[in-house]
Amino acid sequence: MFKILIFGIAAYALYRLFMNDKRKNIEKSENDEAKKVADGILVRDPVCGVYVEKENSFSVRNGDVVEYFCSDDCRQKYIKQVQEQQKIQE
Ligand SMILES: [Zn+2]
């Protein structure tokens, strides 16, 4: 009986430890993301809204603005959208 009690306490302690770590990691990664966005390391894909690292992204220049994308798919979609907008304006 005593052993079961000890085991229960140990398991609970481990559980608490694990949950705290998990929560900390989530907070940390959120802070990291915000910091990276602020530093210009992370950029937002305007098509699907995903954050990507600038270095690993697909980019396209639209006038003076450079847009970054998570994939070539998103880049193609964006280029199509821009071309359609330009057609409407003409
Ligand atoms: Zn995307």
Side-chain angles (χ1 to χ4, degrees):
M1 183 63 198
F2 190 59
K3 268 185 188 169
I4 292 167
L5 196 69
I6 299 245
F7 179 76
I9 291 168
Y12 179 71
L14 272 175
Y15 171 77
R16 284 291 302 267
L17 214 69
F18 178 69
M19 289 308 281
N20 277 343
D21 262 16
K22 215 174 168 187
R23 205 177 302 149
K24 263 185 219 155
N25 281 340
I26 291 168
E27 278 170 18
K28 196 170 172 283
S29 69
E30 276 173 2
N31 285 342
D32 274 4
E33 193 169 80
K35 194 175 177 295
K36 281 180 182 172
V37 171
D39 289 348
I41 297 166
L42 275 185
V43 283
R44 195 165 178 271
D45 180 330
V47 174
C48 67
V50 154
Y51 285 98
V52 284
E53 281 184 23
K54 209 184 244 183
E55 282 181 15
N56 299 323
S57 65
F58 294 78
S59 62
V60 67
R61 182 174 281 276
N62 179 19
D64 293 335
V65 187
V66 181
E67 297 284 4
Y68 300 91
F69 307 92
C70 67
S71 64
D72 194 40
D73 257 19
C74 282
R75 179 166 63 179
Q76 296 303 330
K77 268 186 211 166
Y78 178 81
I79 291 168
K80 250 185 208 168
Q81 277 176 14
V82 170
Q83 282 171 346
E84 272 162 28
Q85 277 172 5
Q86 281 171 349
K87 266 182 216 159
I88 293 164
Q89 282 168 5
E90 277 166 12

